[in-house]
Amino acid sequence: MTAATGAATGPGSDAGTGPDTEAGAATGRPPARWLVLAVVCLVQLAVVLDNTVLGVAVPSLTRDLGAGTADLQWIVNAYSLVQAGLLLAAGSAADRYGRRRLMLLGLAVFGLGSLAAGLSHTTGRLIAARAVMGVGGALLLTTTLAVVLQVFDGPERTRAIGVWSAVSALGYAAGPPIGGLLLAHFAWGSLFLVNLPVVLLGLLAGRALVPESRSPRGGPPDLTGVLLSTVGVTAVVGAIVSGPEHGWSSAQVLGPAAAGLLALTAFVRWELRCPHPMLDLGFFRDRRFVGAVTGVVLITFGSTGVLFLLTQQLQFVRGYEPLEAGLRMAPFALTVVALNFTGLAARVTARLGTPRSIAAGMAILAAGFAVAALAGGGYGPLLVGLLLMGTGCALANPAIVAAVLDAIPPERAGAGAGVDGTMAEVGGSLGVAVLGAVLNARFAALLPAGAAAGSLPAALATAGTDGERSAVLDAFAAASRSGQLAGAGAVLAGGLTAAALLRRADRRAERQARAPSGTA
C-alpha cells in the first residue's frame, strides 16, 4: 500500500455496496471508486467546457453588454490566465491540506464565480467573475486528477486516467455545440448558470464518496514560492496569448514575458534553497519525468494549435456555421471517449508499455493531423483524419499523464497534477500562438497582389471579383495546411523524443535493479 493510500481517510473511504465492495476491501481501494470517478469526471467536464463554450457567445456579449474587442479578450482569457497561474500552487496546497477538502473548496469557488458571471450586467463584473471561476478551476483540475491517483492503482489506474483524459477531450470538443444549443433557447448567462447543478451535485457526492488524503510531509507553507510561480506562469502565458494580436516584439508582449521569466528564475532559485519547497525541482533530474513533461507540452502544442486552425478552416474556407463546425469536429472527441471508456486504450497501453504507447499514439495523431490538413472536398477525408486524431490522442494522452505522475511519489500527487496542468496550459497557449503565427505569415506571403494583409476578413473586403475572393480563400486554405502540418511535425517529434527518454530511463532503472544481484 502506498503512503498516499494509507493516508486516505474520512467520508467515502468505506462507501459503496455491490460487487465492487469485496474487491475494494481486498485491495485497500475505496469500494465506491468508480462512483468517485464519475463525480470527478462530471466536475472535470464542467471546468473544461468553460474554456471553450464562450466562443459562440461573442455576438451576444457584444450586443447585450456592449463589449469591445479588448473586453471580449479579457472575458475569455481571465479564466484561463488565472487558472494557469494557480495550477502549481493549487496542486501543492492539495497535497498539504487535503485533496478532497480542496476539491470541495474549488467547487464552491467555481460555483460562486459561475453564479456571479451568469448574473453580470457589465463587462467588468463578468471579467471579475471569470477570474474567480479560474481560481476554482485551478483547484479542480489538480484535485480531480490527484483524487483519481489516490483511489485507483495498478491496471485500474491506467484505465481511470484514460477516462479522465477522455472527459477532458470531450469537454474541449463539446463546448461550441453545447454553447450553441444553450444560446438557441436561453440568454448568454445560461452558459454559466448551467454549472450550478453540477457544482451542487459535486459537493454532495464529493462529500459523501471521495476519501480524504494528504501528504504526510510537514513544515510551513511556501508562500514565496506560491507568489513567484503564480506571477511567473501568469505573465508568461499572458505574453504568449497576446503575442499574435500585439506582435511578438511589442512592449505589451516583451514586458510581461521578461517579468514572467524573471519571476520564474527567482522561483527556481528560491525552491532550490527553501527547506520546504512548494515544488521539488529534483523531479527534473529524472529522465522519465523530463520525457513525460516533454510529451505533455508537445501533444498539447500540436493538438490545441491544429484544432484551432482546423476550426477556422471549417468556418472560413468550407463555410460552416460555428455550431455546424463544432458538430463536424465531434468524431475526434467521440473516438477518444469510446476508446477510453471501453478500456481498449488501457489494454493496448498495458501490452505495448508506456514508451511505445506514447510513440505510437502521437505518430497516429500526427498522421491524423496531416490527413485532415490535406483533405480535399467532401467530409469523408476529413472524417478519416478526425478518427485517426482521436485514436492517437486516446492512446498517447493517458500514457503521458500516467508517465508524469508515475515519476512523482504518490504523496505528491497534487504537485504532479499541477505540473501536468501547467505544462498543458503552456503547450496549448504556445500551439495557438505559434501555429497561428505560421498561418498568418504564410497567408501574407500567398495573398495575391493588392489584397489587404492582416486577416482573412480584411483581405476578402478588398477583393473586388469572385476570382480575387477565390484566390484569397485558396491562400488561407494553403496557409492553414502549413500550420497544421507544422503541428503534426511537432507532435511526431515530441512523441519520439518522449518515448526515447522514457525508454532510456526504464533501461537505466533495470540495470540498477540488476546490479546488486550481479555483484553479490
Side-chain angles (χ1 to χ4, degrees):
M1 183 181 295
T2 65
T5 303
T9 59
S13 58
D14 58 26
T17 58
D20 229 10
T21 305
E22 186 175 343
T27 62
R29 299 285 90 189
R33 57 194 177 278
W34 294 106
L35 284 177
V36 171
L37 180 63
V39 173
V40 162
C41 286
L42 181 64
V43 172
Q44 174 77 0
L45 181 63
V47 174
V48 177
L49 277 174
D50 270 279
N51 275 316
T52 59
V53 75
L54 267 188
V56 296
V58 169
S60 299
L61 294 172
T62 302
R63 180 183 64 251
D64 296 344
L65 296 181
T69 301
D71 295 325
L72 291 170
Q73 289 172 344
W74 275 109
I75 289 170
V76 172
N77 292 332
Y79 179 75
S80 57
L81 287 178
V82 171
Q83 186 181 92
L86 290 176
L87 282 168
L88 286 176
S92 177
D95 286 334
R96 175 179 293 273
Y97 300 111
R99 290 131 192 157
R100 171 177 168 271
R101 177 180 298 173
L102 269 292
M103 188 184 82
L104 296 178
L105 175 61
L107 274 168
V109 173
F110 187 76
L112 290 174
S114 298
L115 178 62
L119 300 178
S120 295
H121 298 293
T122 66
T123 56
R125 291 180 180 178
L126 181 54
I127 291 169
R130 291 278 290 167
V132 172
M133 292 175 67
V135 176
L139 289 169
L140 293 173
L141 281 177
T142 50
T143 54
T144 52
L145 182 54
V147 165
V148 169
L149 297 178
Q150 302 310 306
V151 299
F152 290 96
D153 58 9
E156 283 190 346
R157 176 180 289 179
T158 302
R159 184 174 179 182
I161 290 176
V163 171
W164 182 89
S165 301
V167 168
S168 296
L170 178 63
Y172 185 89
I178 290 177
L181 290 173
L182 286 172
L183 290 178
H185 300 91
F186 307 102
W188 59 264
S190 63
L191 300 178
F192 306 108
L193 297 178
V194 74
N195 292 329
L196 298 182
V198 175
V199 168
L200 181 60
L201 178 60
L203 286 170
L204 295 174
R207 185 171 181 81
L209 297 173
V210 177
E212 183 60 283
S213 63
R214 61 172 60 86
S215 171
R217 298 190 181 194
D222 181 14
L223 297 180
T224 301
V226 169
L227 177 63
L228 291 173
S229 68
T230 301
V231 172
V233 174
T234 302
V236 168
V237 173
I240 294 171
V241 169
S242 62
E245 178 193 359
H246 298 293
W248 295 104
S249 60
S250 66
Q252 293 96 322
V253 173
L254 293 180
L261 291 175
L262 285 174
L264 290 177
T265 301
F267 170 70
V268 170
R269 294 173 63 89
W270 171 259
E271 295 297 283
L272 288 173
R273 68 173 188 266
C274 178
H276 302 284
M278 183 187 84
L279 177 65
D280 184 357
L281 296 179
F283 295 149
F284 290 91
R285 291 193 291 269
D286 185 337
R287 290 181 180 177
R288 185 175 180 83
F289 181 78
V290 172
V293 167
T294 300
V296 169
V297 172
L298 288 172
I299 194 172
T300 53
F301 174 93
S303 300
T304 308
V306 168
L307 289 173
F308 171 72
L309 298 184
L310 186 56
T311 302
Q312 292 190 63
Q313 184 179 359
L314 290 177
Q315 294 181 64
F316 293 140
V317 178
R318 299 202 177 201
Y320 297 138
E321 294 296 324
L323 177 57
E324 187 179 6
L327 291 174
R328 288 179 180 268
M329 292 281 289
F332 163 69
L334 294 177
T335 302
V336 177
V337 171
L339 293 178
N340 279 303
F341 272 60
T342 59
L344 180 60
R347 290 195 292 271
V348 172
T349 298
R351 181 179 294 274
L352 294 179
T354 299
R356 289 179 179 174
S357 296
I358 292 174
M362 293 179 76
I364 295 171
L365 180 61
F369 288 161
V371 171
L374 301 173
Y379 183 63
L382 176 60
L383 177 60
V384 172
L386 292 170
L387 294 176
L388 286 172
M389 290 161 56
T391 302
C393 190
L395 185 59
N397 200 44
I400 291 173
V401 175
V404 171
L405 300 172
D406 284 347
I408 289 179
E411 67 269 15
R412 304 302 302 273
V419 171
D420 177 75
T422 301
M423 293 300 100
E425 288 285 347
V426 171
S429 299
L430 277 171
V432 172
V434 173
L435 298 188
V438 171
L439 180 148
N440 290 333
R442 185 66 175 154
F443 181 50
L446 294 175
L447 277 175
S455 68
L456 178 61
L460 289 174
T462 60
T465 66
D466 290 342
E468 291 174 347
R469 289 178 58 86
S470 178
V472 169
L473 289 174
D474 288 343
F476 186 85
S480 180
R481 284 195 295 271
S482 298
Q484 292 175 62
L485 292 175
V491 167
L492 181 60
L496 296 177
T497 301
L501 290 171
L502 290 170
R503 184 61 185 144
R504 189 177 302 173
D506 288 344
R507 287 175 177 169
R508 183 180 181 183
E510 291 170 1
R511 288 196 300 268
Q512 291 175 343
R514 289 195 302 264
S517 59
T519 57

